[in-house]
């Protein structure tokens, strides 16, 4: 009995020291604004006021900030996901842990109303600039291309059916590129990163070849490129989002034409001009995919030694960033617009710049979840 009492006292003392040590660590640990590991902005401690306390907002905000700012957070997150994996759990924060180390996002098919809303936005913009040739490519995720790598019985939407649904709502003059078939034909190749939601540069190359007919260009053979390894230490967005650890990093490759011409890349909103499509400094950061065009920007203007009379407008999400370099041989100028950040009039820009072609390129998940594509209908109204 005496030994049991001593044991309880020791456990209580250890627990007391643990709680005290964690409280002290939380006090001494400075607040962080951003988590490189999770690749997201962290909640900050809220300012206190009687109004927010009474409404409950202060308590809610404080709980979120306490979770984000807890000392040794990355260690606790890793321990939790390790424990989940040991117990057989295959999903974390909407990300599935698949076979061969693949991380894949949950995808939910959109409603008919959501489909129609997006199709209507594109139709409205098409009606406002009828003389502009328009091509749309919606890219399926890795879960659609490699369903056999998903854990058994996980609920995922039918992306192929959704691609056909949206295609059926667009007029015949808007050409829909079949990215699914192009990628499926090459599914023995590394088309998607394992720890990130993007396609690889090889996947982007096959999509570029598929686009060639609709854009009226002759694609370059893969053998005409020098393929350079940019990094073999890439842990991407799904690694950050899920918290799954103990996975191999991805490689990022850059395709450089063996006969490379001059290029100027202007980041219009920033007033910055470079002479490269690649921002090598971004390879030293967490989001190494940002090596392609420096990540996402409101408006990028690319000038090349391609045919000067050919101008292309690209409306896109980040999937386009690694595909656009393949198009620089075929166009003298390429304007790249990300509607999530672009606040000027796209219609005015289109009429002023007199583009020959317009490419809408999105990952299917972003296309259906991000509302910025609806800005096209506002432009045309």
């Amino acid at each position: 009995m005496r030994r049991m009492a001593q044991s309880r006292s020791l456990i209580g003392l250890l627990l007391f020291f643990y709680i005290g040590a964690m409280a002290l660590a939380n006090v001494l640990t400075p607040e962080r604004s951003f988590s490189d590991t999770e690749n997201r902005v962290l909640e900050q401690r809220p300012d206190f006021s009687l109004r927010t306390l009474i409404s409950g907002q202060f308590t809610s905000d404080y709980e979120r900030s306490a979770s984000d700012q807890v000392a040794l957070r990355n260690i606790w997150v890793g321990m939790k996901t390790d424990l989940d994996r040991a117990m057989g759990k295959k999903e974390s924060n909407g990300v599935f842990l698949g076979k061969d180390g693949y991380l894949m996002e949950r995808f939910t098919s959109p409603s008919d109303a959501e489909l129609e809303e997006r199709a209507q936005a594109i139709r409205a913009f098409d009606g406002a600039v009828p003389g502009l040739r328009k091509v749309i490519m919606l890219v399926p995720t890795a879960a659609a291309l490699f369903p056999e790598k998903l854990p058994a019985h996980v609920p995922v939407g039918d992306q192929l059916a959704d691609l056909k649904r949206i295609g059926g709502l667009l007029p015949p003059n808007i050409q829909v590129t079949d990215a699914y078939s192009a990628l499926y034909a090459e599914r023995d190749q590394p088309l998607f990163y394992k720890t990130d939601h993007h396609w690889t540069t090889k996947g982007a190359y096959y999509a570029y070849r598929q686009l060639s007919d609709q854009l009226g260009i002759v694609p370059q053979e893969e053998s005409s490129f020098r393929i350079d390894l940019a990094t073999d230490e890439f842990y991407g967005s799904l690694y950050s989002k899920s918290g799954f650890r103990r996975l191999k990093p991805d490689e990022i490759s850059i395709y450089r034409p063996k006969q490379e011409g001059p290029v100027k890349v202007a980041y219009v909103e920033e007033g910055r001009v470079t002479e490269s499509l690649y921002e090598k400094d971004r390879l030293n950061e967490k989001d190494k995919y940002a090596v392609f065009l420096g990540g996402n920007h409101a408006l990028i203007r690319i000038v090349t030694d391609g045919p000067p009379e050919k101008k292309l407008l690209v409306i896109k999400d980040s999937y386009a960033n690694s595909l656009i370099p393949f198009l620089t041989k075929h166009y003298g100028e390429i304007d790249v617009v990300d509607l999530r950040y672009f606040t000027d009039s796209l219609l005015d820009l289109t009429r002023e710049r007199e583009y020959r072609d317009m490419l809408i390129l999105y990952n299917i998940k972003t296309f259906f979840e991000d509302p910025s594509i609806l800005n096209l209908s506002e432009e045309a109204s």
Side-chain angles (χ1 to χ4, degrees):
M1 184 72 70
R2 185 177 182 182
R3 188 172 298 171
M4 184 179 298
Q6 290 176 338
S7 177
R8 288 176 178 172
S9 297
L10 179 60
I11 292 172
L13 187 62
L14 291 174
L15 182 61
F16 173 79
F17 278 118
Y18 169 77
I19 294 173
M22 285 302 301
L24 181 61
N26 285 333
V27 170
L28 296 177
T29 300
E31 278 196 335
R32 297 179 301 153
S33 60
F34 188 82
S35 170
D36 287 333
T37 302
E38 298 175 68
N39 196 29
R40 70 177 179 89
V41 175
L42 298 176
E43 291 284 344
Q44 304 298 295
R45 291 188 180 94
D47 295 328
F48 176 82
S49 73
L50 187 60
R51 179 182 59 81
T52 58
L53 179 64
I54 294 174
S55 68
Q57 186 65 42
F58 177 81
T59 304
S60 176
D61 291 346
Y62 188 85
E63 287 179 354
R64 287 197 299 269
S65 70
S67 175
D68 276 4
Q69 300 295 338
V70 67
L72 308 177
R73 174 180 169 81
N74 292 339
I75 294 176
W76 302 126
V77 170
M79 289 175 61
K80 178 185 181 302
T81 52
D82 283 346
L83 179 60
D84 288 342
R85 289 177 68 174
M87 296 176 65
K89 186 177 178 182
K90 297 293 185 179
E91 182 181 3
S92 176
N93 203 21
V95 178
F96 300 113
L97 176 62
K99 297 177 182 177
D100 302 325
Y102 269 93
L103 298 179
M104 299 181 177
E105 284 186 287
R106 176 185 293 276
F107 174 82
T108 302
S109 292
S111 66
D112 289 342
E114 290 170 324
L115 274 172
E116 172 57 29
E117 193 176 29
R118 281 156 173 75
Q120 171 57 29
I122 296 173
R123 292 197 303 262
F125 193 82
D126 175 50
V129 282
L132 179 64
R133 174 164 56 181
K134 302 171 189 71
V135 177
I136 182 169
M137 172 180 274
L138 299 182
V139 185
T141 70
L145 270 298
F146 308 110
E148 73 281 358
K149 297 187 184 298
L150 284 165
H153 311 302
V154 298
V156 289
D158 189 341
Q159 295 183 36
L160 183 56
D162 295 333
L163 290 168
K164 291 179 179 177
R165 288 165 67 201
I166 190 68
L169 295 173
L170 298 175
N173 63 292
I174 298 179
Q175 303 177 69
V176 180
T177 304
D178 186 3
Y180 180 91
S181 296
L183 294 173
Y184 192 87
E186 307 291 346
R187 62 196 304 273
D188 59 328
Q189 302 291 322
L191 303 177
F192 288 85
Y193 299 112
K194 292 185 176 183
T195 69
D196 191 71
H197 70 286
H198 293 101
W199 54 13
T200 62
T201 320
K202 183 176 282 291
Y205 171 75
Y206 289 125
Y208 151 71
R209 288 202 320 192
Q210 186 75 1
L211 275 170
S212 60
D213 284 344
Q214 284 88 351
L215 291 176
I217 60 178
V218 178
Q220 294 179 279
E221 295 296 328
E222 193 172 15
S223 59
S224 67
F225 294 93
R226 185 180 75 249
I227 303 176
D228 298 332
L229 177 65
T231 181
D232 58 1
E233 299 179 345
F234 176 43
Y235 285 106
S237 60
L238 301 184
Y239 179 88
S240 301
K241 181 179 180 182
S242 67
F244 285 121
R245 299 295 180 259
R246 307 182 196 284
L247 298 171
K248 284 186 176 182
D250 283 300
E251 296 181 352
I252 295 179
S253 295
I254 292 175
Y255 280 47
R256 292 187 179 277
K258 291 178 180 177
Q259 296 182 348
E260 197 166 7
V263 63
K264 285 190 176 182
V265 182
Y267 298 90
V268 176
E269 299 295 319
E270 304 168 27
R272 181 168 62 94
V273 180
T274 72
E275 295 183 351
S276 175
L277 296 160
Y278 307 101
E279 300 264 325
K280 289 294 190 69
D281 290 346
R282 303 303 291 269
L283 294 172
N284 299 320
E285 301 176 6
K286 172 65 176 65
D287 184 13
K288 292 176 170 51
Y289 184 79
V291 67
F292 301 103
L293 292 175
N296 297 315
H297 303 268
L299 173 60
I300 302 174
R301 180 157 296 151
I302 303 170
V303 180
T304 78
D305 63 348
E309 74 282 1
K310 295 183 67 175
K311 292 182 181 180
L312 172 68
L313 170 64
V314 180
I315 306 297
K316 61 88 187 182
D317 67 4
S318 55
Y319 260 60
N321 297 356
S322 56
L323 183 143
I324 287 169
F326 294 113
L327 299 173
T328 55
K329 170 184 168 55
H330 309 285
Y331 292 90
E333 295 185 30
I334 302 175
D335 281 1
V336 183
V337 172
D338 193 321
L339 293 175
R340 293 170 293 185
Y341 312 105
F342 188 76
T343 57
D344 293 334
S345 170
L346 184 64
L347 194 57
D348 288 348
L349 179 72
T350 303
R351 289 168 174 165
E352 173 193 336
R353 297 283 292 155
E354 298 181 337
Y355 303 111
R356 177 170 176 171
D357 297 317
M358 174 180 175
L359 170 63
I360 299 175
L361 199 163
Y362 278 80
N363 160 256
I364 186 175
K365 182 176 173 65
T366 306
F367 181 80
F368 289 132
E369 292 182 356
D370 187 272
S372 63
I373 191 69
L374 303 179
N375 295 344
L376 291 177
S377 61
E378 295 176 7
E379 285 280 340
S381 60

